[in-house]
Amino acid sequence: MLALAGGWSWGCGGGKTTDQEARWAALRDEMVATQIAARGVRDANVLAALRSVPRHLFVPADVRAEAYADHPLPIGEGQTISQPYIVGLMTELLEVKPGDRVLEIGTGSGYQAAVLAAMGCNVYTIEIRVPLAREAEQRLASLGVKNVHVRTGDGYAGWPEAAPFAGIIVTAAPERIPQPLLDQLKIGGHMVIPVGAFYQQLKVITRTGTADFPERDVIPVRFVPMTGEVERRP
Ligand code: SAH
C-alpha cells in the first residue's frame, strides 16, 4: 500500500506531468537503481517509497540540483539530510509495514519521515531545532502528507503517549542509547540508530522480550551528534 501514491502533484495542471517533473522522477529512479538497489536494499515497499518522494523539495534551493546525488546535503542550522543509500538502508532495517507506528528522532528536513509515510506508516517525529521543526511541518503539510506528526523538542524522552512503536529510527548519533527510547519499543520491534562520538556504528536493536535487547552492528557511519539531555548523562 502506498498512502501517497499519486499524491505528489507539486506541479500545476491537475496532475499533468511537466517535463521538469519527469526529469526529477528519472533522477529518482536512477538514484534508487544505482545507489540503493545496487547496494543490496531489496524491500519493494522501501524502494517504491524512495521512487515516489520528491527529495528535491526537501533540500534548500541552492543545492537542489544535487538532491539525487550519492551524498548527504546541508539543510541549514549546521544539519544534514542523509545520503539516499543510508535512508534506504535504515528504512529497510526497520522492517516496518503499512499501518505500523514509527518514532523518528531528528526530523531535519522531514524527508525520512515522508519516506516512512509513503510506506503507509504512522510517523511520530521529534526535532530539537525549532526552525527545522517548523519548516519540516509546513513542508509536509504543503505536500499533503497527513500521517506524520511533528513535535519540537528533545527526542531523548521519546513520545510516551504514542508508544509502543513497531520501529524507532534515530537520525542523530548519541554516545549511548537513551533508555526511554528502548522502553518505548514494542516487543518484536527494531530500533535503527547510529551510536558513537566521532566513529559511529549503525546498530539494529531488536526487542525480543521485556528486558531483552540484542543488538548488531551494521556499518560504520557519520551522523550529526544527538544533542540535549543525552549529552549531559554520565
Ligand atoms: N532525518 C532527517 C535528517 C536528520 S539530521 C531528514 O530526513 O532530513 C539530524 C537531526 O537531528 C538534526 O535536524 C538535529 O537538529 C536533530 N537532533 C539532534 N539531537 C536531537 C534530539 N535530542 N532530539 C531531536 N532531534 C535532534
Side-chain angles (χ1 to χ4, degrees):
M1 185 188 86
L2 271 176
L4 296 167
W8 298 110
S9 48
W10 59 93
C12 45
K16 229 196 315 168
T17 304
T18 64
D19 287 353
Q20 185 55 51
E21 285 169 16
R23 279 195 287 276
W24 290 124
L27 287 174
R28 239 176 353 259
D29 286 352
E30 194 187 332
M31 169 191 87
V32 171
T34 63
Q35 302 171 31
I36 303 173
R39 294 183 183 136
V41 174
R42 290 280 174 270
D43 185 319
N45 203 15
V46 173
L47 298 177
L50 290 164
R51 275 189 213 99
S52 78
V53 179
R55 182 172 160 99
H56 62 283
L57 298 183
F58 289 81
V59 302
D62 60 334
V63 295
R64 188 149 292 153
E66 291 174 76
Y68 297 101
D70 195 10
H71 53 73
L73 288 168
I75 54 170
E77 297 270 311
Q79 308 303 306
T80 54
I81 181 174
S82 301
Q83 177 189 8
Y85 168 63
I86 294 295
V87 175
L89 176 64
M90 290 176 80
T91 310
E92 180 171 71
L93 290 168
L94 272 178
E95 292 184 46
V96 287
K97 54 184 191 314
D100 279 347
R101 213 177 294 172
V102 180
L103 175 66
E104 179 191 29
I105 307 302
T107 314
S109 69
Y111 176 68
Q112 173 72 68
V115 169
L116 288 162
M119 292 172 63
C121 296
N122 294 313
V123 187
Y124 294 78
T125 182
I126 308 176
E127 171 55 52
I128 202 166
R129 291 175 186 265
V130 180
L132 290 178
R134 290 216 182 107
E135 206 182 307
E137 194 165 21
Q138 284 165 9
R139 177 180 288 128
L140 292 164
S142 75
L143 290 169
V145 182
K146 297 224 172 359
N147 39 348
V148 178
H149 311 268
V150 183
R151 179 179 273 184
T152 306
D154 189 338
Y156 183 89
W159 198 315
E161 312 89 285
F165 297 97
I168 300 182
I169 179 167
V170 183
T171 64
E175 288 188 39
R176 283 167 304 281
I177 301 172
Q179 185 61 42
L181 300 183
L182 292 168
D183 294 341
Q184 289 170 35
L185 190 59
K186 202 166 151 177
I187 292 176
H190 303 287
M191 179 188 299
V192 180
I193 180 170
V195 181
F198 190 83
Y199 295 101
Q200 303 155 8
Q201 274 294 330
L202 185 64
K203 291 180 183 282
V204 179
I205 291 105
T206 305
R207 188 173 199 174
T208 55
T210 310
D212 302 315
F213 296 89
E215 62 175 63
R216 70 184 169 95
D217 288 353
V218 183
I219 46 164
V221 284
R222 191 85 182 92
F223 277 79
V224 296
M226 184 170 176
T227 56
E229 180 74 19
V230 77
E231 294 177 307
R232 294 188 284 274
R233 298 266 160 166

